[in-house]
Amino acid sequence: MLTDAEAYSLCDIPSHELREAAAKVTAKFCPRVFDSCSIVNARSGKCSENCKWCAQSAHYRTGCEEYPLIDREKCMHAARLNHKAGVRRFSLVASGKAVKGETLKKITGMLRDIREQVGISTCASLGLLDRDEMRQLYDCGVRRYHCNLETAPSHFATLCTTHTIEDKLRTIEYAHELGMEVCSGGIIGMGETKMQRIEFALTLRRARPSSIPINFLSPIPGTPLENAEPLSDDEILDTIAIFRLVHPHTQLRFAGGRKRLSREIQLEALRIGINSGVVGDLLTTIGSTVDEDRRLIDDAGYEF
């Protein structure tokens, strides 16, 4: 495992050498089975938090679709379609600082039915849960919890002031206490420096994630980041390489924003570090179809 000093020194390595080193680590330590998951927006909009990147924050006018809770049959139908398509995991994601009370009870009921009636592995992303709330998820069969740290601690407070990274790490620790796996990553391209991306990768070690979703910012009109400069392909590939070198055994997961990447760049990302992904449509941005993803993954030499 790289020391912090060694990780920060990656900034000084030419891109070609950095990516080749990451490709070697990927080939040596990562299985050739691609871990796929699909997500459904269980509750949308009206979020109390002021995250500057998010279409669902009530602080901004983005025209985001708003609804209190997804219809159960619609959710079950989506789970069945994904299971039939060969997707390995199915996750319910909800807007808001945390899902509580009767809404949490309804969501855990849906998750239990999905696991028992559909047979697909279930995950959840329901905000900053406490111990008891996390236990309710565990009791309904959820074995992986998602909570992104989003960015480096030195940058986070410039993007969100209504909660902290420490709040997130506390929720993550509750999941670990129950023996659950953790999915935790974030978004690149929110004005952070290359050194802060390394700081972010190192901070994720505290979360001990089984999976690190890497999102590329899709600037959303109405949010404070709507005019953010898009990352170059080189910045994206270098970041993936750095994350693979800092986390040699962890699933690095293609998530939001990758649709704008060419097929060639996506294949290179799969070669140097990406070995899992959110497939199909995403939350408030368009992903790609499962069939498109399957062809891409097959061409990269992974088993879907």
Side-chain angles (χ1 to χ4, degrees), residues 32-45:
R32 302 309 294 178
V33 176
F34 192 87
D35 187 78
S36 57
C37 68
S38 183
I39 59 179
V40 164
N41 206 1
R43 182 174 71 183
S44 183

Side-chain angles (χ1 to χ4, degrees), residues 191-225:
E192 75 283 352
T193 66
K194 190 171 183 178
M195 292 290 277
Q196 284 175 321
R197 289 174 198 157
I198 295 174
E199 177 193 351
F200 175 33
L202 290 169
T203 303
L204 280 167
R205 286 178 172 174
R206 293 180 60 192
R208 311 193 305 283
S210 299
S211 166
I212 298 176
I214 300 178
N215 297 268
F216 317 118
L217 179 70
S218 294
I220 296 170
T223 66
L225 297 183

Side-chain angles (χ1 to χ4, degrees), residues 49 128 156 160-170:
E49 306 307 280
L128 303 177
F156 188 88
C160 176
T161 60
T162 48
H163 61 269
T164 68
I165 282 182
E166 292 302 321
D167 292 331
K168 291 171 173 289
L169 286 167
R170 187 178 305 112

Side-chain angles (χ1 to χ4, degrees), residues 145-156:
Y145 192 72
H146 169 265
C147 184
N148 277 347
L149 297 190
E150 302 298 4
T151 191
S154 65
H155 191 48
F156 188 88

Side-chain angles (χ1 to χ4, degrees), residues 59-132:
H59 294 259
Y60 319 122
R61 295 183 178 180
T62 65
C64 174
E65 183 181 9
E66 297 177 354
Y67 51 84
L69 188 63
I70 191 172
D71 176 75
R72 180 188 178 281
E73 288 309 311
K74 183 178 180 180
C75 181
M76 295 296 291
H77 178 67
R80 291 188 186 99
L81 285 178
N82 279 278
H83 184 52
K84 184 177 180 181
V87 177
R88 297 172 184 271
R89 302 177 187 275
F90 186 80
S91 181
L92 295 186
V93 181
S95 67
K97 187 170 186 176
V99 175
K100 296 181 177 293
E102 190 62 25
T103 301
L104 179 59
K105 183 178 179 180
K106 290 178 180 178
I107 287 179
T108 55
M110 284 190 280
L111 287 164
R112 180 179 289 107
D113 289 346
I114 289 167
R115 181 178 62 84
E116 294 178 352
Q117 298 177 28
V118 180
I120 193 170
S121 295
T122 52
C123 310
S125 181
L126 307 179
L128 303 177
L129 303 186
D130 62 25
R131 271 194 183 89
D132 290 340

Side-chain angles (χ1 to χ4, degrees), residues 187-192 197 215-217 228-236 239 260-261:
I187 308 171
I188 61 171
M190 298 195 292
E192 75 283 352
R197 289 174 198 157
N215 297 268
F216 317 118
L217 179 70
E229 188 73 21
L231 292 173
S232 69
D233 291 346
D234 284 338
E235 287 177 294
I236 287 171
T239 300
R260 69 177 179 86
L261 302 178

Side-chain angles (χ1 to χ4, degrees), residues 221-269:
T223 66
L225 297 183
E226 64 180 338
N227 296 315
E229 188 73 21
L231 292 173
S232 69
D233 291 346
D234 284 338
E235 287 177 294
I236 287 171
L237 291 174
D238 285 354
T239 300
I240 290 169
I242 286 168
F243 271 64
R244 173 51 69 211
L245 293 170
V246 174
H247 297 273
H249 300 281
T250 306
Q251 294 168 352
L252 296 187
R253 188 172 298 275
F254 255 154
R258 69 176 169 96
K259 187 63 176 176
R260 69 177 179 86
L261 302 178
S262 70
R263 197 170 193 279
E264 178 185 20
I265 295 299
Q266 291 188 61
L267 285 170
E268 177 65 358

